[in-house]
Amino acid sequence: MELFEELEIALAREEVWAMLVDAEILSQCITGCETVERISETEYTLLLGTSIGPVRARFTGTIELTDLNPPESYTMLGSGKGGVVGFAKGSAKIRLQDRTVAGKTGTLLSCTLAVSVGGKLAQIGSRLVDVAARKLTTDFLSRFVALAEK
Amino acid sequence: MSIDITLTVNGREINTEVSPETTLVQLLREHLLLTGTHVGCDTSQCGACTVHLDGRAVKSCTVLAVQADGSEVTTIEGIAVAGGLHPMQAAFHQCHGLQCGFCTAGMIMSAIDLVTREDDLDEATIRKGLAGNICRCTGYHNIVKAVQMAAGQMEGRGHE
Amino acid sequence: MSETEISTIGRSVLRKEDHRFITGNGRFTDDINLPGQTYAVFVRSPLPHAEVRAVDTSEAEAAAGVVAVLTGADLAQDELGGLPCGWMITSKDGSEMKQPLHPVMAVDKVNYLGEPVAIVIAETLLEARNAAETVQVDYRELDAVVGADKAQSALQIHAEAPANTCYEWELGEREATEAAFEQASHITSLDLHNNRLIPNAIEPRAAIADYQPGTEELTLYTTSQNPHLARLILAAFVQIAPEHKLRVVSPDVGGGFGSKIMVYSEETATAWACMRIGRPVKWCADRSEAFLADAHGRDHFSHVELALDDEGTFLGLRVKTIANMGAYLSSFASSVPTYLYGTLLAGQYKTPAIYVEVDAVFTNTAPVDAYRGAGRPEASFLIERITTMAAREMDIDPAELRRRNFIQPEDFPYQTPVALEYDTGNYGVSLDKALEMSGYAEFSARQQQSVSSGKLRGIGISCYIEACGIAPSQVAGSLGAGVGLWESGEIRVNPTGNVTVLTGSHSHGQGHETTFAQLVAARFGIPIDDVQVVHGDTARLDFGMGTYGSRSIAVGGSALSVAADKIITKGCKIAAHLMETEAENIDFDQGEFKVSSSNLSKTFQEVAFAAYVPHDYPLDELEPGLTEKAFYDPANFTYPAGCHICEVEIDPDTGCVEIVNFTAVDDFGRIINPMIVEGQVHGGLAQGIGQALLENCVYDDTGQLLTGSYMDYCMPRADDLPSFNVDLTETPCTHNPLGVKGCGEAGAIGSPPAVINAITHAIGIPHMDMPATAEKVWRAIQEKRGA
Ligand code: FES
Ligand code: FES
């Protein structure tokens, strides 16, 4: 499953970038994220409670930021294990471009997301993964914008 | 945490404590040992667990026991009429509407509900009405015949 | 007719077993509760193929209510064996099939999605579930081998099976077949995939085990189609407990369709765990587990070619099949695409030369084994599809082409080129009757009507044959199977004259308690209510082979018939003694032992009573008691056959297929209870039509199961199916005492090709793989219109 989203933020690219590598901010934007822990410059572990269709799960996951190219782009690799419900893997390629927003220098953020799931999640929820991933992404982006423009 | 509930099951008043996540089918099968109601799936799709809750067919795997608080529940064990079988039970027997018997309780409970609700029961209506109950054994042919037979008899006696 | 009346064979006696099910008094495995029982939940692999580097159970062990957490390593420590496959197959090159160890729970590698890795036992189900979530398994993911067609060039799964090949088997004459193809004036060929199915008995598998340390006796209540075989495998191969201290009980079982023949990991682990912890352990699969871990069915890729002369006479048939075994060899798996498939490729026809090659391959999918029909639906689909295709290509009516090639009544016994010898049959009669019932001659008028209302209409024929009553030991042995399947029956005439019948067959919906009672009651001339049929308990009957392969009546019924003969023989001796004459002078008829040419007689009940009150018995000639037992090993398979005709109407705008008529005319030999036989046919048809139109097991290309619930695996429901037109013809089986053949699988064997023949006819295309879903049909129609 792949999906593409883009949106404008009324904040300069460098500032957006700073937020994108801030674990605290990221955790506030992920629906159901309970804790985030930074284990290295580019790696985080997190605990996430979510539901995909009828399957409810708490994932323990890792996020790794790769291909870092500040303040322009990176790839966020995520993988989560939900015990007996299975696992999810995904990557989000984030790209920032200058864009005039409301007459000021702002940023265009684009995000390409790829997700795959396994175990019970695939067995029961595979048709619903798209929906869940889309929701997670749009939630993420709207909260991110809200925080950025606060 | 336990919650106190009171309900009527097959005409008998039951007062019991259940944990909040207990489903109605668990209450019936495990607490009350009414094992005639079966569980055939975990996505609310096979209908093996069908019982009547306040006169309507429900899938008891999808109803919490606490939701049945104050209600009247009827299971397969409770439909026989004094001195004999319910016409739907008898019709399933007469028409060979069961093989392994695992779907049968749910099928009979759904069928009674269907006959009670629908006036004009042609074959297509019966087949649609039973689409929430899976039977792997009979191919439904004789189940449809049984429902037709029982519908005739239930009409004679008035809907219960 | 009431059940208390004296029954006769051939009447639709209502079922004795019904009452408990319609009143909610059935006793299925999950209905059994034992004092002090614990609950088991399995930790299953979320990956189809991976190394298991570590299993950390510490958190689970400490969790609330947990009694024990056991892993594959614990099993290994107890030196338990793997789960065996009983049917040996020898490859073309003379080598034995590869049988990699099938561990009860994975130790260092998982090979299919859902493979059990650990068993968690707790005081409540909820506690067991919660704890199972905390078991940490460290996997190193490997590429998964998913499609059978690509398995031979994919990553090797088992060290002992290069190219993931279990065996490369052949049957028939290669050279004669090649020669036939050289003579041919017409060759029809087809590539097909026989879709993968998930059996889905509505009762999920379950087990509850109980161990008595005092007597060291282990009792396993489980959803088995063959409890004795389960006991044998658990005792002799897995070595959980010795056979004489192990009791396996199959109480009421909610459908099997093949999927409950096998001895599985979960039941085995449950029994073993019970001995380890010294308390009863209960496990009941939820539906999701059934999807993952019940043995699946079918999944063949085949290439088939039929050679004909210009009259349409079959000259030769050539088949190459790749059969998916899944990750391990399940109990019967190897026999399905060989002994139950290759041997059936003659169908109802006099094809003089047949050659079949079957490669069985391992993949990272659930084990594949027998599912209703097992091998025979695959054979019949291929033969009946290619026959119809050939007829259409040669512009011969498909019914006519079949008729031209039928084995004729005077040809029996008929030796096919693929090992079997058919004893009897009359295929033309079934075809004629089915043509008549389906209004075949008037089809074009109906088609016109459909066309004028914007619909497509098609009709399809299938003339199937199957080999049932599995399995004559000598025939199976000569094929190299290493096993054979007889059946046992025991009749106990109690002192009061009623009768307890014990059979090694097992009923999980088939109605043995009625049919077998009818059989025995009729023989003894006693009321059917005086006969109680007992089955499914190793403690009550010495041994038995269970029920599958439409074998119960032909093999189990025949055993009872032989036992009944013995009872009558002994009864005659007792009666002779009572009436002071010789046994030769006694005739037994309608429940009475009569002295010929006199009016002296004794009733069955009087003789029974005398057997247990042996006053002045000649004890050196006559033992007291009236119990007899028989083991019956059939001389041959039985060969039910018939003709199914399907007529469909298709809405070209939606691709929705409606079956407007389905006719099945089957020859099952003699019939004991027509109502039960028809019921078996209906159920089989529903599964066959389900395969043809709806059902499909799909793994994605990483090996994740996408059809893992009733939301995605499309089961036939009441509104997907029509009512059926079912009738019978009768050529009695020549080699068993009852003349019966078996009826359990015919519906699932004959119907899929009839449905696809009808759909391809309606659309005007040569072939469509199953399931013919609305989407696929719609696309085919669009493509056809575009072309
Ligand atoms: S158990 Fe299947 S619907 Fe309730
Ligand atoms: S009778 Fe077996 S599932 Fe319906």
Side-chain angles (χ1 to χ4, degrees):
Chain A
M1 196 295 307
E2 266 203 14
L3 83 110
F4 179 77
E5 291 275 345
E6 53 182 14
L7 78 170
E8 295 173 342
I9 305 171
L11 209 61
R13 206 141 57 101
E14 287 72 13
E15 292 168 277
V16 175
W17 179 266
M19 288 178 67
L20 275 175
V21 291
D22 181 335
E24 197 42 48
I25 303 258
L26 289 180
S27 74
Q28 286 177 40
C29 299
I30 300 174
T31 313
C33 184
E34 292 167 16
T35 60
V36 178
E37 223 177 293
R38 182 173 188 151
I39 45 178
S40 79
E41 212 35 32
T42 55
E43 275 178 281
Y44 308 88
T45 58
L46 72 168
L47 190 65
L48 182 75
T50 188
S51 62
I52 296 185
V55 187
R56 226 170 273 285
R58 284 178 95 205
F59 286 92
T60 49
T62 57
I63 286 184
E64 192 187 351
L65 305 182
T66 61
D67 306 332
L68 285 157
N69 180 20
E72 222 161 75
S73 63
Y74 71 55
T75 302
M76 189 193 286
L77 294 178
S79 72
K81 282 194 214 144
V84 291
V85 308
F87 60 85
K89 281 191 287 204
S91 69
K93 284 199 175 68
I94 309 259
R95 234 174 102 79
L96 303 178
Q97 285 162 281
D98 288 336
R99 168 72 59 103
T100 315
V101 179
K104 282 193 265 166
T105 317
T107 306
L108 177 74
L109 184 153
S110 53
C111 167
T112 312
L113 187 79
V115 180
S116 65
V117 292
K120 196 167 207 157
L121 272 179
Q123 199 190 342
I124 295 186
S126 58
R127 283 168 310 117
L128 307 159
V129 166
D130 292 28
V131 183
R134 199 173 293 274
K135 178 148 180 358
L136 204 64
T137 314
T138 49
D139 282 0
F140 179 90
L141 294 175
S142 60
R143 287 189 202 179
F144 188 81
V145 174
L147 279 177
E149 296 181 345
K150 198 159 63 182
Chain B
M1 183 177 80
S2 286
I3 299 170
D4 190 68
I5 57 172
T6 303
L7 66 167
T8 312
V9 177
N10 298 333
R12 195 159 62 97
E13 190 178 293
I14 307 282
N15 180 275
T16 184
E17 286 201 342
V18 293
S19 57
E21 76 280 356
T22 306
T23 57
L24 178 56
V25 72
Q26 283 172 324
L27 173 72
L28 295 170
R29 286 183 55 82
E30 289 160 29
H31 299 219
L32 307 178
L33 301 179
L34 293 168
T35 54
T37 302
H38 299 144
V39 175
C41 72
D42 41 27
T43 51
S44 199
Q45 262 150 341
C46 74
C49 61
T50 308
V51 301
H52 293 173
L53 182 66
D54 294 327
R56 290 300 301 262
V58 296
K59 292 180 172 176
S60 64
C61 68
T62 329
V63 175
L64 292 169
V66 293
Q67 288 175 286
D69 189 14
S71 293
E72 214 168 293
V73 176
T74 309
T75 70
I76 188 74
E77 289 93 344
I79 56 168
V81 285
L85 297 171
H86 184 282
M88 191 63 76
Q89 290 172 308
F92 268 67
H93 177 55
Q94 289 292 328
C95 299
H96 187 31
L98 64 149
Q99 290 182 21
C100 76
F102 196 79
C103 72
T104 310
M107 209 48 105
I108 288 178
M109 299 311 282
S110 288
I112 294 174
D113 182 60
L114 178 68
V115 173
T116 320
R117 270 187 294 119
E118 292 278 344
D119 283 329
D120 217 0
L121 276 180
D122 58 4
E123 178 174 342
T125 322
I126 295 175
R127 286 185 179 274
K128 271 219 167 55
L130 294 181
N133 291 68
I134 302 177
C135 174
R136 194 53 152 168
C137 297
T138 63
Y140 308 100
H141 181 109
N142 287 338
I143 291 180
V144 172
K145 284 209 299 196
V147 177
Q148 278 165 333
M149 177 189 273
Q153 289 162 0
M154 284 168 67
E155 226 155 72
R157 308 162 7 137
H159 293 163
E160 320 149 77
Chain C
M1 145 168 181
S2 96
E3 283 98 308
T4 48
E5 275 176 57
I6 288 177
S7 73
T8 30
I9 304 294
R11 294 176 80 162
S12 291
V13 176
L14 297 180
R15 295 203 322 168
K16 285 161 69 80
E17 46 271 81
D18 283 355
H19 192 266
R20 65 179 185 270
F21 298 121
I22 56 180
T23 54
N25 287 303
R27 187 164 174 264
F28 295 90
T29 303
D30 191 35
D31 299 341
I32 298 173
N33 292 297
L34 298 173
Q37 75 190 18
T38 58
Y39 295 82
V41 165
F42 286 89
V43 176
R44 296 178 181 278
S45 170
L47 296 169
H49 198 194
E51 281 171 21
V52 176
R53 289 196 288 208
V55 183
D56 179 358
T57 58
S58 53
E59 194 180 337
E61 275 162 31
V66 169
V67 177
V69 183
L70 301 168
T71 65
D74 297 311
L75 274 163
Q77 207 175 48
D78 281 6
E79 292 179 359
L80 254 52
L83 300 168
C85 170
W87 294 74
M88 282 315 299
I89 305 288
T90 307
S91 282
K92 290 182 244 203
D93 65 4
S95 63
E96 305 261 281
M97 70 179 187
K98 308 290 186 294
Q99 188 169 175
L101 177 72
H102 182 180
V104 174
M105 292 192 286
V107 181
D108 42 23
K109 191 161 175 268
V110 287
N111 292 313
Y112 69 94
L113 184 80
E115 183 169 354
V117 177
I119 178 172
V120 177
I121 298 156
E123 299 292 345
T124 69
L125 185 58
L126 196 65
E127 285 167 336
R129 276 207 187 119
N130 286 341
E133 299 219 14
T134 66
V135 173
Q136 299 292 334
V137 186
D138 182 11
Y139 295 104
R140 192 176 79 85
E141 194 170 351
L142 301 167
D143 283 344
V145 182
V146 184
D149 51 341
K150 300 188 193 76
Q152 285 167 307
S153 55
L155 180 69
Q156 188 171 332
I157 302 170
H158 300 289
E160 48 279 80
N164 292 320
T165 301
C166 175
Y167 55 75
E168 292 172 316
W169 182 80
E170 64 178 352
L171 185 67
E173 300 279 337
R174 180 200 281 265
E175 273 143 42
T177 310
E178 308 274 301
F181 274 82
E182 274 164 29
Q183 304 292 307
S185 56
H186 186 92
I187 294 175
T188 298
S189 66
L190 167 67
D191 285 288
L192 66 89
H193 179 222
N194 197 301
N195 44 334
R196 184 175 176 119
L197 304 172
I198 304 180
N200 272 305
I202 300 301
E203 179 203 26
R205 285 190 288 126
I208 176 164
D210 186 21
Y211 183 65
Q212 296 297 330
T215 53
E216 296 175 321
E217 282 174 320
L218 176 67
T219 304
L220 177 65
Y221 300 88
T222 185
T223 49
S224 172
Q225 295 179 224
N226 48 351
H228 285 88
L229 233 49
R231 183 182 66 168
L232 176 62
I233 289 178
L234 292 177
F237 295 90
V238 189
Q239 301 189 327
I240 282 191
E243 211 171 352
H244 62 306
K245 296 197 175 185
L246 179 57
R247 174 180 174 203
V248 179
V249 185
S250 302
D252 287 326
V253 173
F257 317 112
S259 69
K260 291 171 182 168
I261 307 174
M262 300 87 196
V263 175
Y264 286 95
S265 293
E266 294 84 355
E267 292 84 337
T268 307
T270 301
W272 163 74
C274 161
M275 292 178 76
R276 284 273 294 224
I277 68 166
R279 283 174 64 183
V281 179
K282 183 172 187 173
W283 168 75
C284 184
D286 59 32
R287 182 57 51 187
S288 299
E289 290 183 281
F291 274 103
L292 288 176
D294 285 3
H296 294 177
R298 319 271 197 270
D299 204 353
H300 280 195
F301 289 89
S302 293
H303 176 73
V304 50
E305 292 168 288
L306 177 66
L308 306 95
D309 71 8
D310 47 15
E311 299 286 300
T313 308
F314 295 176
L315 302 176
L317 180 78
R318 200 155 53 188
V319 178
K320 169 85 205 221
T321 292
I322 298 176
N324 198 344
M325 297 285 101
Y328 300 102
L329 278 184
S330 169
S331 315
F332 279 58
S334 57
S335 69
V336 175
T338 49
Y339 305 139
L340 297 174
Y341 168 73
T343 55
L344 269 301
L345 288 171
Q348 299 188 352
Y349 312 112
K350 274 201 269 193
T351 314
I354 299 175
Y355 179 66
V356 50
E357 293 171 282
V358 179
D359 290 359
V361 299
F362 294 109
T363 57
N364 295 116
T365 62
V368 181
D369 203 328
Y371 167 62
R372 200 171 196 164
R376 290 149 291 168
E378 295 90 311
S380 123
F381 187 74
L382 180 141
I383 301 165
E384 292 307 296
R385 258 313 7 249
I386 196 93
T387 300
T388 287
M389 279 177 68
R392 289 179 191 157
E393 287 172 5
M394 297 180 75
D395 209 15
I396 303 173
D397 183 284
E400 174 54 27
L401 183 67
R402 286 176 165 82
R403 205 189 302 278
R404 276 184 209 171
N405 288 286
F406 276 158
I407 300 161
Q408 296 300 322
E410 63 274 15
D411 297 329
F412 294 101
Y414 175 80
Q415 175 64 52
T416 72
V418 275
L420 298 180
E421 186 186 83
Y422 300 167
D423 63 333
T424 181
N426 192 338
Y427 309 137
V429 173
S430 304
L431 175 64
D432 289 341
K433 196 164 186 177
L435 291 174
E436 157 95 42
M437 282 168 63
S438 63
Y440 190 76
E442 299 80 40
F443 170 75
S444 48
R446 295 192 296 275
Q447 191 179 30
Q448 281 313 312
Q449 245 168 25
S450 294
V451 169
S452 61
S453 58
K455 301 271 180 69
L456 305 173
R457 203 176 185 101
I459 193 162
I461 299 179
S462 143
C463 294
Y464 73 92
I465 190 161
E466 52 168 329
C468 290
I470 67 169
S473 297
Q474 289 180 1
V475 181
S478 72
L479 286 165
V483 273
L485 299 167
W486 41 265
E487 193 50 272
S488 72
E490 181 176 337
I491 299 178
R492 297 182 190 158
V493 181
N494 301 313
T496 51
N498 56 27
V499 172
T500 307
V501 170
L502 299 104
T503 173
S505 297
H506 183 268
S507 178
H508 28 281
Q510 296 88 340
H512 294 8
E513 290 169 41
T514 306
T515 309
F516 285 3
Q518 259 178 286
L519 196 77
V520 171
R523 185 62 71 83
F524 293 156
I526 58 174
I528 187 172
D529 279 353
D530 282 1
V531 182
Q532 181 81 0
V533 177
V534 174
H535 59 93
D537 185 346
T538 61
R540 295 190 71 179
L541 176 82
D542 327 350
F543 206 87
M545 290 293 188
T547 289
Y548 36 84
S550 305
R551 66 191 307 272
S552 291
I553 195 69
V555 193
S558 293
L560 286 175
S561 173
V562 175
D565 287 343
K566 293 186 185 174
I567 293 276
I568 292 170
T569 306
K570 181 159 183 194
C572 286
K573 286 188 196 154
I574 298 170
H577 162 70
L578 293 176
M579 294 183 280
E580 296 176 339
T581 177
E582 298 301 315
E584 302 86 82
N585 299 332
I586 306 282
D587 292 325
F588 181 69
D589 184 39
Q590 287 304 308
E592 290 203 75
F593 293 90
K594 294 185 184 133
V595 180
S596 37
S597 59
S598 88
N599 55 5
L600 285 176
S601 74
K602 290 280 173 196
T603 64
F604 185 76
Q605 288 77 9
E606 285 173 310
V607 167
F609 189 74
Y612 293 92
V613 189
H615 294 159
D616 66 15
Y617 247 46
L619 288 171
D620 43 346
E621 290 158 36
L622 203 54
E623 288 173 27
L626 194 51
T627 290
E628 295 288 353
K629 195 180 284 187
F631 288 77
Y632 180 80
D633 198 328
N636 192 352
F637 289 97
T638 62
Y639 299 97
C643 176
H644 291 186
I645 300 183
C646 175
E647 189 165 329
V648 298
E649 194 174 62
I650 302 176
D651 181 341
D653 296 331
T654 61
C656 282
V657 175
E658 189 193 344
I659 295 181
V660 288
N661 191 351
F662 200 102
T663 301
V665 176
D666 301 292
D667 177 357
F668 298 133
R670 288 251 155 75
I671 303 295
I672 313 285
N673 186 323
M675 174 193 82
I676 288 179
V677 167
E678 281 181 19
Q680 288 295 307
V681 173
H682 297 156
L685 291 177
Q687 287 176 356
I689 294 171
Q691 169 169 25
L693 293 181
L694 308 166
E695 296 180 40
N696 199 22
C697 165
V698 182
Y699 285 96
D700 72 7
D701 49 17
T702 67
Q704 291 294 333
L705 180 65
L706 297 184
T707 51
S709 80
Y710 289 145
M711 292 183 288
D712 295 288
Y713 186 88
C714 188
M715 292 281 282
R717 292 171 183 267
D719 58 348
D720 294 317
L721 295 171
S723 284
F724 308 113
N725 287 320
V726 172
D727 209 340
L728 299 164
T729 58
E730 182 177 318
T731 58
C733 171
T734 59
H735 58 76
N736 65 43
L738 301 171
V740 294
K741 297 182 181 174
C743 64
E745 296 165 296
I749 295 170
S751 56
V755 175
I756 298 298
N757 285 342
I759 292 173
T760 51
H761 184 222
I763 310 177
I765 53 170
H767 179 66
M768 173 174 288
D769 267 340
M770 300 184 286
T773 57
E775 183 200 347
K776 221 191 259 178
V777 169
W778 182 83
R779 284 184 196 285
I781 295 168
Q782 298 307 308
E783 209 170 289
K784 174 85 183 165
R785 287 185 172 168

